[in-house]
Amino acid sequence: MPIQKVGVIGCGLMGSGIAQVCAQAGFPTVVREVSMELVEKGLKGIEKNLTRMVEKGAITEAAKSEIRGRLKGTTSLGDLKDCNVIIEAIIEQLGTKRELFAALDALCPKATIFASNTSSLTITELATATKRPDRFVGLHFFNPVPVMKLVEVAKTIATDPAVYEEMVAFGAKLGKTPVRASDKPGFIVNRLLVPYLLDAIRALEEGVGSTEDIDNSMKLGCGYPMGPFTLLDFVGLDTTYYIANIMFDEFREKRFAPPALLKRMVLAGWNGRKAGRGFYDYSDPQKPKPVIF
Ligand code: CAA
Ligand code: NAD
């Protein structure tokens, strides 16, 4: 059956971006959060992005209204039961994701395809919470979703090849370049990116350089669009901490182990840009100031 309607679960950093690109690609999209306050916060972010696109002349005001018209926010899982594809983008915790997928499995028709935006869990661990591992894939987008052109599409040994190809084609319909990844924690990008980010924290802990100097070094010396600490704050330190723990559990290699400073910052609630404080202080979002440890 062709994909006619998309469901997205979670309307945080990633879920809001995923919902936006689905609606932009023409799919009626329902996005679910745990409270109306969070639904509204997520939709407000999308509204801001679309307004910026109108101001830049990337879309017309009429196109913006159409995109907004295709987007519906809800707190009820039941509102997603007629979606052909459901993309999960909630907290990076195995138990919470498995519970959600088990509930969705009981709710949705057999044909519905489930996808997870997980950064580091294996898709098999999630798919086995349902009775449809053949209709389950990884669909890993990148932050900020409306801008980043890549989507990793991951299959397990149980994924039906036809479903997999359908999801690769779906990624392309969203305007992304799909790459094929196997069901290994971190897929392709995070396998390489996460050790780099964690190493930057270790370098800071060891006094190799200051936050700003390490950031500037990688930006100006290597041409990266953001230095590692700006990127860590952008991804979210809580999310990075969960990812590091999951990858370390899997690989048992020191390069994936979360540094002590990261753990302490997460315990303190310094979760990066979304929390107003991480490696930088965002009291003035236009001029972030490095936090001195
Ligand atoms: N949402 C939507 N659009 C955004 C945006 C956001 N949050 N932030 C920036 N943009 C848009 C801007 O509107 C602008 O659009 P135009 O070119 O059409 O004008 C464009 O992006 C560039 O923005 P800026 O000029 O303001 O700033 P910039 O040139 O520094 O680019 C950036 C911003 C695209 C985020 C760039 O800094 C970048 O590519 N950073 C690295 C991001 C990255 O590495 N992401 C991957 C993270 S890892 C991950 O996602 C996987 C995981 O599992 C953790
Ligand atoms: P986030 O904290 O910004 O958002 C997660 C949202 O999910 C929160 O708003 C929370 O209220 C909501 N939520 C939790 N349980 C829910 C439920 N049962 N139903 C509906 N909503 C629920 O996190 P994020 O950065 O958007 O990350 C989400 C997922 O995407 C994680 O698996 C993460 O690993 C992955 N990811 C993150 C990034 C990144 O750069 N942050 C990039 C790629 C993938």
Side-chain angles (χ1 to χ4, degrees):
M1 185 200 258
I3 296 165
Q4 285 164 344
K5 190 171 177 184
V6 178
V8 178
I9 308 197
C11 198
L13 277 180
M14 296 304 290
S16 61
I18 296 167
Q20 180 183 327
V21 297
C22 290
Q24 272 176 227
F27 296 103
T29 303
V30 190
V31 57
R32 191 249 182 166
E33 254 298 346
V34 289
S35 70
M36 261 339 269
E37 199 188 338
L38 288 170
V39 169
E40 274 151 26
K41 189 175 166 209
L43 292 179
K44 214 169 128 194
I46 296 175
E47 177 75 28
K48 203 172 133 198
N49 283 345
L50 295 175
T51 303
R52 202 162 51 190
M53 289 170 78
V54 172
E55 284 163 2
K56 284 187 308 207
I59 55 169
T60 61
E61 191 64 53
K64 179 189 156 187
S65 320
E66 281 174 27
I67 295 165
R68 274 303 277 114
R70 284 193 283 271
L71 268 171
K72 183 178 174 241
T74 184
T75 55
S76 161
L77 216 49
D79 286 345
L80 278 76
K81 70 169 184 271
D82 59 343
C83 294
N84 310 100
V85 176
I86 297 181
I87 307 166
E88 166 275 316
I90 68 167
I91 191 167
E92 188 73 346
Q93 284 184 353
L94 178 63
T96 317
K97 285 192 197 276
R98 277 182 62 92
E99 254 173 48
L100 173 71
F101 278 117
L104 281 173
D105 195 43
L107 180 78
C108 296
K110 284 251 170 295
T112 312
I113 298 172
F114 291 168
S116 174
N117 184 52
T118 180
S119 301
S120 53
L121 291 162
T122 69
I123 300 305
T124 308
E125 282 175 300
L126 301 172
T128 51
T130 74
K131 295 192 183 77
R132 65 184 80 202
D134 54 325
R135 302 187 73 73
F136 206 119
V137 296
L139 211 51
H140 185 222
F141 294 86
F142 293 82
N143 185 17
V145 183
V147 180
M148 305 310 277
K149 290 288 177 212
L150 186 73
V151 62
E152 293 177 317
V153 190
K155 66 174 174 185
T156 73
I157 51 172
T159 308
D160 177 337
V163 169
Y164 185 62
E165 291 310 322
E166 201 179 343
M167 295 315 284
V168 171
F170 175 65
K173 276 189 200 143
L174 298 183
K176 306 298 177 196
T177 299
V179 289
R180 293 161 191 269
S182 66
D183 188 27
K184 303 274 189 331
F187 309 123
I188 300 168
V189 171
N190 283 342
R191 178 76 169 254
L192 302 176
L193 178 66
V194 171
Y196 156 71
L197 294 175
L198 300 177
D199 249 352
I201 304 175
R202 283 188 267 271
L204 182 71
E205 285 176 329
E206 287 168 24
V208 172
S210 70
T211 305
E212 258 182 324
D213 284 345
I214 294 174
D215 262 0
N216 277 333
S217 300
M218 297 313 290
K219 260 177 80 174
L220 307 179
C222 294
Y224 287 14
M226 285 175 168
F229 297 110
T230 305
L231 184 54
L232 279 157
D233 278 358
F234 188 61
V235 165
L237 300 189
D238 47 349
T239 302
T240 307
Y241 182 62
Y242 300 138
I243 294 172
N245 277 308
I246 292 164
M247 293 185 82
F248 181 72
D249 271 355
E250 175 77 18
F251 296 116
R252 301 281 161 179
E253 288 175 29
K254 193 178 169 226
R255 64 202 176 109
F256 295 106
L261 177 60
L262 178 64
K263 180 176 178 181
R264 276 147 190 75
M265 291 174 79
V266 173
L267 285 171
W270 297 5
N271 287 335
R273 194 140 101 172
K274 64 186 173 186
R277 192 180 180 90
F279 288 99
Y280 291 88
D281 179 326
Y282 297 88
S283 306
D284 176 357
Q286 302 310 318
K287 280 194 195 136
K289 284 199 195 80
V291 170
I292 307 298
F293 297 98

